[in-house]
């Protein structure tokens, strides 16, 4: 079956602009999580959506937002871009069932954002 | 709260020799533990997971990890390294309760180099 699909794979923006990234989860997966990966901070959790509701949130400013649609596809948006937002943004999907062993995440290839 | 420490940022081995990547964790609840691998310009691939069943966990490509609660460790091993194992490896913890449920916390990563 198809894996997690992220678009676009690469993009370049300038400071002050905004960007929207898209993630299509594995069919049947209802949870979508977003992570930011940078050389300095490593992999950091942004947020998780389950059934169109934000279920968990990391420690990022309000410029970072997301949403999930009824078909489980998710988008994340970053407004007023800063140089420090340059990163690989990874999306992961899972069944989202909260019991031990069930929440195994499958990751997409990522969207690499460069802010100039 | 949960956290994970990978004790080595770089590990270098010769092809055919054993691999040991070290990981210590802390968790407020019985944790789920994972090892993911990331090849250059690729997303994250799950190697193996521990979810409170057997303490010795077997994963893909000959990798294993042993959960030791008394030492709060989850070290990754492989008897014989292959050139294709060269990548970055992440130890990951996920709480199974509380406000962190479903959120993955990543270690800083260990870059594995395999010499011919």
């Amino acid at each position: 079956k198809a894996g997690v699909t992220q678009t676009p794979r690469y993009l370049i923006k300038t400071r002050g602009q905004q960007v929207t990234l898209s993630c299509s989860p594995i069919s049947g997966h209802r949870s979508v999580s977003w992570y930011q990966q940078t050389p300095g901070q490593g992999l950091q959790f942004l947020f998780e959506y389950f059934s169109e509701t934000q279920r968990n949130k990391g420690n990022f400013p309000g410029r970072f937002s997301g949403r999930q649609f009824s078909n489980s596809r998710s988008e994340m948006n970053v407004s007023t871009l800063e140089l420090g937002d340059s990163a690989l943004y990874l999306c992961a999907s899972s069944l989202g069932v909260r019991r031990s062993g069930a929440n195994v995440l499958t990751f997409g290839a990522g969207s690499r954002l460069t802010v100039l | 709260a949960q956290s994970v420490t990978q004790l080595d940022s770089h590990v270098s081995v010769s092809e055919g020799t054993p691999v040991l990547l070290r990981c210590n964790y802390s968790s407020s609840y019985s944790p789920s533990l994972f090892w993911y691998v990331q090849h250059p310009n690729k997303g994250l691939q799950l190697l193996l997971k521990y979810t409170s069943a057997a303490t010795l966990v077997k994963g893909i490509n000959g990798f294993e990890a042993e959960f030791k609660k008394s030492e709060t460790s989850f070290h990754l091993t492989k008897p014989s390294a292959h050139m294709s194992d060269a990548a970055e490896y992440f130890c990951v913890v996920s709480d199974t309760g509380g406000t962190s449920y479903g959120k993955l916390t990543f270690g800083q990563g260990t870059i594995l180099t395999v010499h011919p």
Side-chain angles (χ1 to χ4, degrees):
Chain A
K1 58 184 177 183
V4 178
T5 303
Q6 292 188 245
T7 57
R9 290 291 316 278
Y10 302 90
L11 66 165
I12 300 173
K13 294 285 187 178
T14 57
R15 279 181 297 174
Q17 286 187 311
Q18 73 164 11
V19 65
T20 299
L21 309 177
S22 178
C23 174
S24 293
I26 289 174
S27 178
H29 284 190
R30 296 169 63 191
S31 169
V32 173
S33 300
W34 289 89
Y35 290 80
Q36 181 196 63
Q37 185 176 25
T38 59
Q41 299 298 317
L43 277 147
Q44 294 184 288
F45 173 75
L46 281 156
F47 28 65
E48 180 205 4
Y49 286 87
F50 179 80
S51 292
E52 302 180 64
T53 301
Q54 188 180 84
R55 188 160 72 172
N56 215 332
K57 187 176 184 302
N59 297 322
F60 278 81
R63 299 185 299 107
F64 292 81
S65 63
R67 59 177 175 169
Q68 187 180 34
F69 302 96
S70 58
N71 62 357
S72 293
R73 190 178 70 86
S74 177
E75 289 181 347
M76 69 162 281
N77 183 275
V78 187
S79 62
T80 318
L81 284 166
E82 301 176 358
L83 295 178
D85 297 333
S86 294
L88 180 66
Y89 290 88
L90 290 163
C91 163
S93 76
S94 73
L95 293 171
V97 176
R98 286 193 161 181
R99 69 173 181 273
S100 181
N103 195 36
V104 177
L105 271 60
T106 302
F107 284 83
S111 292
R112 184 167 296 282
L113 169 65
T114 301
V115 181
L116 301 176
Chain B
Q2 54 190 28
S3 67
V4 61
T5 301
Q6 291 182 241
L7 300 171
D8 306 290
S9 58
H10 291 83
V11 169
S12 181
V13 301
S14 297
E15 190 174 21
T17 64
V19 175
L20 170 64
L21 305 183
R22 298 181 296 163
C23 171
N24 288 126
Y25 71 92
S26 69
S27 176
S28 303
Y29 299 86
S30 296
S32 291
L33 293 160
F34 310 84
W35 277 97
Y36 281 86
V37 61
Q38 187 176 34
H39 288 91
N41 299 314
K42 298 284 181 65
L44 293 154
Q45 180 185 19
L46 179 68
L47 276 179
L48 50 80
K49 64 177 182 179
Y50 165 79
T51 56
S52 75
T55 57
L56 182 62
V57 182
K58 294 185 184 299
I60 62 172
N61 300 334
F63 284 95
E64 292 183 348
E66 186 171 8
F67 173 71
K68 292 187 176 181
K69 185 176 180 179
S70 61
E71 299 177 10
T72 61
S73 70
F74 190 58
H75 301 335
L76 181 70
T77 61
K78 183 174 180 178
S80 177
H82 191 272
M83 295 296 291
S84 61
D85 295 328
E88 189 165 15
Y89 292 78
F90 293 93
C91 182
V92 184
V93 63
S94 177
D95 270 342
T96 57
T99 57
S100 297
Y101 204 133
K103 168 187 164 184
L104 300 187
T105 297
F106 285 77
Q108 287 298 309
T110 299
I111 295 173
L112 175 65
T113 302
V114 183
H115 298 287

